[in-house]
Amino acid sequence: MSNKKSGAPLHSQGQAFRAFANAPFLRKLRNAFGGSPILSPKILRFFSACIFLFLLFFLFLRFSPYPALTSLKNRNVSTRIYDAGGKILQILPLENGLRREFVPLEEIPSFIQEIFIESEDKKFYAHHGIDFAAITRAFFQNASQGRTVSGASTITMQLARIISPSQKRNILVKIRESIDALRLEARLSKKEILELYLNNLPFGFNTEGVASAARNFFSKEIKNLNEVESACLAVIVRRPSLYNPLTNPENCARAAFELMQDSGHSLEEFEKTARSAHSFRYPFHAPHFVRYLSNLENSPLRKKADLSTSLILEVQEKAEDLLSTALERYAENRLSNGAILICDTKSGEILTWLGSGDFFDREHDGQVDGVLSLQQPGSSMKPFLYALALESGFSPNSILPDIPMEFGFEKLYLPQNFNNRFNGPVRLRVALASSLNIPAVYLLNEISIEKYKKKLMEIGFASLEKADPGLSLALGGAEVSLFEMVQAFSLFARDGLFRPLYGINDEKMKKKAELPKKYKKGSSGYKEIPVFDMNTARLICDILSDKEERALGFGFSQTFTTPFPAMFKTGTANQYQNITALASTPQYTVGVWMGNFSGETVIGKTGSSIPAKIARDLLLFLQGNKGEPFKKPAQFKKERICSLSGKLAGENCPDTVKEYIAVSGNADSRAKCDWHTKSGTTYPAEYTTWFHLKNRSGIVDDKGSPLKIISPRRGSVFYYDLSIRPDQQKLVVEASGGSEEAARFFVDGRFFCESRRPFIAQVPIERGEEKISVQCGNESTEIVILVK
């Protein structure tokens, strides 16, 4: 006959029980009790069943799903955000303004832990989640009084209630809390339970956890509380509305004194402490910066209790003062807003992030972040174009034409300088330092828009990915952010190495700093990417810190004067709605934007000197009177050149300057000036129109260059004006070069006229394609245009 449950024969089970009953230790035990049997098979089965049920219950407590506990452990906390020096920038609120700060148990003073245990659960370390003695005592006390006068909830049961809150308070809820308390004890250590309890205790008034309570009621960090203040906190949790020291200091003091009556502190001390309680004014520094951190991919905000940033509050406040002063001064000019970004040049750490003049200024869109919003930067973009030009065969002494020029075809682009002047031949150094427009457009046309845009994408200008501004890109005609500008501008003082800006002092977060899409992050995190040659970057630094060559465009302005080497670049968008300034030293890089988020134009020509002055003052604040020099370019040597031709100075050159010349340069870079002779100055033929705009000394070497039609450009598109008689439909054609003094003009192969120098003629045009040709001696050239 078999046991249906186990499938084992009954006589086998009996033998097993008899073998166990006759074990040596049991025989000795029976002898001690006079030889009577102790464990019969029935008793053994009973105890086995009990042990099995106990183990089963323990396994349930230990391993059964408890998602509410997991949820509590993973719930968001109020992140404390610090600046680089440990000063609090913000303590982030959670939903509905709730503050819940987390502090590890070892950072909560032991006497505070003891006070809460004394107040809520004296036998916390002695029981396993349920205090049966307290339950028995509470039962008889409440029964004798006919009402609830005593509770028996342990700290573990209170934590269970926090984990799974319920509006009802009945026997079933109590049983569930008791079981959950046992589950907690089976899964967590006492320290873990106490840590969760103290950090999630509800104190009312949008406050949870002892750390937030210490700050909210006594304006202190938890580590700075004394015993009396801690006792006041311990009684608040019993009934927040009754014992809140902010509204009921007497009730709070009396209850805390009763809790700590053996501590040696008098009732007067408790009353004085309760009356001194006052609400904490939460700091609200750098709101746009904090928002930027919260929007980062895998942002640590609300997931970390403490977050250390690279921001320096002292510098942030200085930037706020300078910007608000400038906005107040120029308010009548409709200059209503601004933004400032400062980074450490060497490391890329963000030191200051000021998104607007006033975050709470709704009238002027103060919550819009001027560091990240897209604006036209104007000429402040030019350094990147000139750096690419240096890497495309140009040099600091290359001569660029600053003359009337037209670019484009159907849509002609005729750039103008900000002062409406043409300076003729200018050296590349002068063109960049003085921020001349026409040479910049000329360079972009020579290099190509595609090549320049590709380089800008490499150095972090992601906002340009879909932009198509044409040649106006040379003058900052596309919208970019101040963040992108500062990030890219800082690479010049770093020998052309691109480094992404970051704001969190955390090695893991540094590795997650955003790189342009072209670069892949390695296992060691981001690294510096060489996007410009070292000598290119050093030449740009030298040019933009050159006070002498800046004079053509800006005079000898004190705005750019610092007691240490510093490079500046400013920019002004059309109608002055955006004015920008960038400044950099080997230590710091500053970007300042001013204007209006609404797009309104500024009244009057306030100019980019306003943000430039702020940038300079910030560098002075950061560096005082000291600073590192910019590094000199290697394989370059300063030699004396002609200031007009850019070639090595000759004996007839009236004005010379020193310039960096490549030691291993080609023959052209080592050629001596041939513009100046004993008989006077001779300009190349391409400067003919410019030369004749005014009475200038010297001559134009018209015969020194090949015959070329200067205007219009090949492929240009014109429109037939129906309001003008056909015989008056004419087009001005201009040519230069050639070996003779006269040139013949042809339209579609038919001779039209002859012109002596300068070669200019008004030729007739008709609708359709027109072929215009010019012949000079044995040379000829032609272009084809379209008339619609």
Side-chain angles (χ1 to χ4, degrees):
M1 189 173 182
S2 300
N3 184 316
K4 291 183 180 181
K5 292 186 178 180
S6 65
L10 288 178
H11 65 86
S12 298
Q13 292 184 0
Q15 290 175 356
F17 282 125
R18 283 195 295 275
F20 178 73
N22 292 320
F25 77 95
L26 288 177
R27 285 202 304 269
K28 292 180 181 180
L29 194 59
R30 278 199 303 271
N31 293 333
F33 285 91
S36 59
I38 295 176
L39 294 177
S40 66
K42 289 185 178 180
I43 295 175
L44 282 173
R45 283 197 293 269
F46 173 76
F47 279 112
S48 297
C50 290
I51 293 172
F52 175 75
L53 290 174
F54 174 79
L55 289 175
L56 192 64
F57 186 55
F58 175 79
L59 291 174
F60 165 76
L61 296 176
R62 179 70 177 83
F63 297 108
S64 62
Y66 198 175
L69 174 59
T70 303
S71 178
L72 181 82
K73 288 183 175 181
N74 295 331
R75 71 197 307 195
N76 290 337
V77 296
S78 294
T79 303
R80 294 177 290 268
I81 305 175
Y82 298 94
D83 83 336
K87 298 176 182 176
I88 291 182
L89 298 176
Q90 288 191 37
I91 301 174
L92 299 185
L94 301 175
E95 58 280 358
N96 300 321
L98 173 70
R99 292 274 188 342
R100 183 196 301 124
E101 300 177 50
F102 179 86
V103 179
L105 188 65
E106 58 267 20
E107 295 181 18
I108 300 175
S110 57
F111 71 86
I112 297 179
Q113 300 177 36
E114 293 167 2
I115 288 173
F116 274 86
I117 291 174
E118 176 68 22
S119 175
E120 299 298 318
D121 186 1
K122 295 182 178 64
K123 297 181 181 180
F124 173 67
Y125 287 106
H127 61 68
H128 296 286
I130 302 174
D131 187 349
F132 292 101
I135 291 175
T136 304
R137 183 186 66 250
F139 174 77
F140 286 107
Q141 287 181 348
N142 296 338
S144 62
Q145 296 291 329
R147 60 187 178 87
T148 301
V149 295
S150 177
S153 292
T154 63
I155 282 179
T156 314
M157 292 174 68
Q158 292 182 45
L159 177 59
R161 189 182 309 149
I162 293 172
I163 294 172
S164 302
S166 175
Q167 297 295 328
K168 299 179 180 179
R169 303 304 302 155
N170 53 41
I171 189 63
L172 292 178
V173 172
K174 283 286 187 180
I175 292 173
R176 190 197 69 187
E177 288 176 359
S178 299
I179 294 174
D180 285 344
L182 294 174
R183 296 170 81 188
L184 289 171
E185 293 279 347
R187 296 161 191 257
L188 306 174
S189 67
K190 285 290 186 181
K191 288 185 177 181
E192 290 175 318
I193 292 171
L194 187 59
E195 182 179 80
L196 283 174
Y197 173 73
L198 292 177
N199 279 291
N200 290 279
L201 261 178
F203 286 82
F205 307 96
N206 277 337
T207 306
E208 289 185 2
V210 291
S212 291
R215 202 182 301 277
N216 199 42
F217 295 111
F218 291 103
S219 297
K220 289 185 177 183
E221 293 191 19
I222 187 71
K223 62 183 179 181
N224 296 326
L225 285 183
N226 58 39
E227 280 191 339
V228 176
E229 293 165 337
S230 302
C232 289
L233 290 187
V235 299
I236 295 175
V237 297
R238 297 176 180 176
R239 191 184 294 180
S241 61
L242 182 62
Y243 297 122
N244 175 16
L246 300 176
T247 55
N248 297 303
E250 292 81 9
N251 291 347
C252 179
R254 194 175 303 109
F257 175 69
E258 291 176 359
L259 173 63
M260 300 284 290
Q261 54 187 334
D262 296 330
S263 64
H265 297 287
S266 65
L267 177 60
E268 288 73 18
E269 286 183 78
F270 284 93
E271 290 175 342
K272 182 179 178 181
T273 298
R275 285 194 297 269
S276 69
H278 58 283
S279 295
F280 179 67
R281 184 175 181 180
Y282 284 91
F284 194 70
H285 300 295
H288 291 103
F289 175 63
V290 173
R291 182 196 294 169
Y292 159 74
L293 295 181
S294 68
N295 290 332
L296 286 176
E297 185 179 357
N298 298 318
S299 173
L301 297 191
R302 307 187 193 283
K303 298 177 183 177
K304 295 185 66 173
D306 295 295
L307 185 67
S308 176
T309 71
S310 58
L311 209 77
I312 301 177
L313 185 56
E314 184 182 10
V315 184
Q316 177 84 10
E317 292 176 338
K318 179 65 176 179
E320 291 171 356
D321 289 342
L322 290 173
L323 181 60
S324 62
T325 299
L327 292 176
E328 184 177 350
R329 180 178 179 182
Y330 293 99
E332 294 183 356
N333 296 86
R334 204 158 61 193
L335 195 61
S336 66
N337 236 314
I340 297 174
L341 180 66
I342 305 176
C343 76
D344 183 296
T345 301
K346 295 178 181 178
S347 67
E349 291 179 315
I350 297 169
L351 308 179
T352 289
W353 184 304
L354 182 57
S356 66
D358 183 354
F359 186 80
F360 298 103
D361 184 358
R362 293 187 177 181
E363 181 183 355
H364 300 109
D365 303 304
Q367 294 193 22
V368 175
D369 191 346
V371 173
L372 296 178
S373 62
L374 303 182
Q375 311 287 348
Q376 287 190 5
S379 294
S380 53
M381 284 287 287
K382 288 177 182 175
F384 313 114
L385 172 61
Y386 279 82
L388 184 58
L390 291 174
E391 299 201 338
S392 301
F394 291 86
S395 58
N397 61 319
S398 294
I399 296 301
L400 305 178
D402 185 17
I403 58 179
M405 301 180 75
E406 59 184 38
F407 301 91
F409 299 100
E410 185 170 355
K411 295 181 179 179
L412 288 180
Y413 182 48
L414 290 83
Q416 297 286 324
N417 287 323
F418 60 91
N419 57 5
N420 294 318
R421 290 171 51 190
F422 300 102
N423 299 285
V426 293
R427 287 174 285 120
L428 182 145
R429 172 182 289 271
V430 176
L432 173 57
S434 293
S435 197
L436 301 178
N437 288 343
I438 297 173
V441 178
Y442 168 83
L443 278 177
L444 181 56
N445 189 63
E446 292 291 310
I447 294 171
S448 87
I449 297 173
E450 292 75 18
K451 186 176 179 180
Y452 180 44
K453 184 177 176 181
K454 181 181 179 182
K455 177 60 68 172
L456 290 175
M457 294 294 291
E458 288 181 14
I459 58 178
F461 285 97
S463 57
L464 293 176
E465 186 171 6
K466 297 181 180 179
D468 185 22
L471 287 171
S472 68
L473 185 61
L475 310 181
E479 294 183 338
V480 298
S481 69
L482 186 65
F483 182 95
E484 293 170 324
M485 293 290 293
V486 171
Q487 182 173 250
F489 195 67
S490 66
L491 66 82
F492 291 121
R494 205 165 46 243
D495 278 351
L497 297 174
F498 178 87
R499 177 185 280 271
L501 302 186
Y502 64 92
I504 299 176
N505 283 334
D506 182 283
E507 289 302 321
K508 291 183 180 180
M509 289 306 298
K510 289 179 185 179
K511 292 179 181 180
K512 294 178 182 177
E514 288 294 327
L515 278 174
K517 292 181 179 179
K518 174 182 175 181
Y519 307 115
K520 295 182 179 179
K521 302 167 192 171
S523 58
S524 59
Y526 74 82
K527 58 182 179 179
E528 293 176 324
I529 307 296
V531 291
F532 285 118
D533 180 75
M534 174 187 72
N535 287 323
T536 297
R538 293 182 180 183
L539 286 171
I540 293 294
C541 291
D542 186 74
I543 293 171
L544 292 180
S545 59
D546 191 333
K547 300 176 184 177
E548 299 295 328
E549 302 298 356
R550 192 185 292 134
L552 177 64
F554 303 99
F556 294 96
S557 172
Q558 294 300 309
T559 301
F560 305 106
T561 302
T562 55
F564 44 78
M567 55 188 289
F568 289 87
K569 189 69 197 79
T570 60
T572 303
N574 290 337
Q575 305 303 317
Y576 295 88
Q577 71 265 41
N578 297 299
I579 49 180
T580 308
L582 300 170
S584 185
T585 69
Q587 293 83 31
Y588 304 102
T589 300
V590 181
V592 182
W593 166 83
M594 297 181 73
N596 299 298
F597 292 128
S598 62
E600 292 181 296
T601 58
V602 176
I603 301 174
K605 296 184 179 182
T606 53
S608 55
S609 61
I610 303 172
K613 184 178 183 302
I614 294 176
R616 182 203 64 185
D617 290 346
L618 286 168
L619 286 179
L620 290 171
F621 181 76
L622 285 162
Q623 297 189 201
N625 294 323
K626 299 179 181 179
E628 298 177 22
F630 292 109
K631 295 177 182 178
K632 297 180 180 179
Q635 291 85 46
F636 278 77
K637 181 181 178 182
K638 273 200 169 183
E639 298 195 38
R640 191 160 292 279
I641 64 169
C642 174
S643 62
L644 181 63
S645 70
K647 300 181 179 182
L648 293 177
E651 58 184 13
N652 296 308
C653 295
D655 190 12
T656 63
V657 295
K658 282 193 171 184
E659 181 59 272
Y660 281 110
I661 304 293
V663 174
S664 58
N666 55 35
D668 290 341
S669 66
R670 310 296 303 176
K672 279 198 173 184
C673 176
D674 55 1
W675 290 26
H676 295 102
T677 63
K678 290 182 179 180
S679 59
T681 303
T682 302
Y683 292 90
E686 60 187 295
Y687 294 100
T688 300
T689 303
W690 167 80
F691 184 84
H692 290 291
L693 287 176
K694 290 185 178 180
N695 292 325
R696 306 181 192 276
S697 60
I699 60 173
V700 176
D701 184 13
D702 290 316
K703 302 178 182 180
S705 61
L707 183 65
K708 177 182 179 182
I709 297 177
I710 301 174
S711 178
R713 289 167 55 85
R714 181 178 284 105
S716 295
V717 178
F718 297 89
Y719 289 88
Y720 201 79
D721 190 346
L722 297 177
S723 65
I724 299 177
R725 294 200 325 247
D727 61 329
Q728 293 181 341
Q729 303 275 358
K730 294 184 178 181
L731 179 69
V732 176
V733 179
E734 181 180 358
S736 67
S739 58
E740 305 294 334
E741 289 297 320
R744 294 158 59 85
F745 288 78
F746 298 83
V747 179
D748 287 333
R750 300 187 304 273
F751 172 74
F752 174 68
C753 70
E754 183 175 281
S755 172
R756 302 189 66 81
R757 294 189 186 278
F759 299 150
I760 299 175
Q762 289 188 347
V763 301
I765 57 173
E766 297 179 356
R767 276 173 284 192
E769 281 192 351
E770 295 270 28
K771 182 173 71 174
I772 300 172
S773 55
V774 179
Q775 184 178 350
C776 180
N778 295 325
E779 296 180 75
S780 64
T781 183
E782 66 180 36
I783 62 170
V784 175
I785 64 171
L786 178 64
V787 180
K788 292 185 177 182

